[in-house]
Amino acid sequence: MSGAVDLSSLKQPPAGAPDAPGGDYAVNETDFETKVLRRSIALPVVVALYSQRSPGSVELVKLLERLVVEDAGSWALATVEAETNMRIAQAFGVQGIPTVVAVAGGQPLADFQGAQPEAQVRQWLNAVIDAVAGKLEADAAAEEPQAAEDPRFVAAEAALEEGDLAGAEAAYEAIIAAEPNNDEAKGALRQLRFLGRAQIVPESAIATADSDPADVDAALAAADLEMLNQQPEAAFDRLIALIKRTADDDRTKARTRLLELFELFDPAEPIVVASRRKLAAALY
């Protein structure tokens, strides 16, 4: 069934969606996204669609409730009363009750219909568990333990969250002083310094620069504002144009600012590669 069923319609249940019957594993249209789709990112979720009016389907649900306890966390169970949660039944294309579907990574993986003997259900469950082994986020996290956070970066980020730009800058500078090749600290410091500079540029800077092309400082400020407004190409082009029409110290100032803005991006970013070519043409 993988990829054959679209469950996206169940991510935003309608207001007033009916509750499913009680039980530790009961799921309804309101909590389907949380208890099934999101949970299936970490481990397979077995969805049992049943009816209280079908003794066979009730017995199958009881069997699954026992097996999920026995398996102690290798999969999760979600029981859905189909008649009161028709949108879920329709999303899975249910044609008969009971229907059991395994969901992994937010997508249906396998299913079966009708009451089955315990041995056959157990075989099916084992196949599902084997199929997703090592492929879900929980497995990957277990294989690759997360490194402890560097307290120096934690302190810098805390200062930034509190609006203490000077404190954050000092924290990153201290890291670089101790580790001159710490690229993460260097990148953070560049971003921070740009932010501190660009945030005080007035909104009129672009109009001012456009009205007086000879004003180098106005052009630099306008480029910062364009970058802050997520218009990097406009900022790069403005500074390259300034480099073309200036010389000596003014040209050096414009080129230095352009290179600073380049460093805010990955060097392989297409817009940076293209702008570096334009810069070379402007200089030579």
Side-chain angles (χ1 to χ4, degrees), residues 18-29 32 46-65 77-90 92 94-101 112-116:
D19 291 336
D24 294 338
Y25 307 104
V27 171
N28 56 53
E29 293 175 4
F32 183 88
V46 173
V47 182
L49 296 109
Y50 74 103
S51 170
Q52 294 281 10
R53 297 189 297 165
S54 167
S57 66
V58 172
E59 288 301 315
L60 179 59
V61 167
K62 291 180 180 178
L63 170 61
L64 291 169
E65 289 176 342
L77 176 63
T79 61
V80 178
E81 219 293 333
E83 292 174 335
T84 55
N85 295 279
M86 291 301 297
R87 290 177 70 241
I88 298 177
Q90 291 169 358
F92 283 116
V94 171
Q95 297 180 351
I97 295 295
T99 291
V100 177
V101 185
F112 68 83
Q113 183 177 316
Q116 305 288 339

Side-chain angles (χ1 to χ4, degrees), residues 232 236 262 264-277:
F236 294 161
F262 282 164
L264 299 177
F265 296 83
D266 186 318
E269 189 77 25
I271 190 174
V272 175
V273 173
S275 294
R276 282 190 179 277
R277 291 197 187 107

Side-chain angles (χ1 to χ4, degrees), residues 145-252:
Q146 296 294 316
E149 288 189 275
D150 188 325
R152 301 172 301 173
F153 282 93
V154 172
E157 291 163 7
L160 187 58
E161 289 176 0
E162 294 172 0
D164 182 7
L165 298 184
E169 184 171 343
Y172 288 124
E173 287 174 341
I175 296 173
I176 296 169
E179 299 176 21
N181 296 322
N182 193 310
D183 291 335
E184 184 179 356
K186 288 180 179 178
L189 185 58
R190 284 194 293 265
Q191 295 279 351
L192 187 60
R193 285 175 174 169
F194 165 73
L195 187 62
R197 184 180 73 226
Q199 282 184 330
I200 61 175
V201 174
E203 290 293 329
S204 60
I206 293 175
T208 300
D210 289 343
S211 65
D212 185 2
D215 190 335
V216 173
D217 290 334
L220 299 182
D224 278 351
L225 184 59
E226 287 168 331
M227 185 66 68
L228 188 65
N229 291 339
Q230 299 183 21
Q231 298 174 304
E233 187 171 8
F236 294 161
D237 286 348
R238 179 181 295 277
L239 293 177
I240 291 169
L242 180 64
I243 290 168
K244 287 181 179 179
R245 63 175 182 267
T246 54
D248 302 327
D249 289 346
D250 285 344
R251 172 178 269 205
T252 299

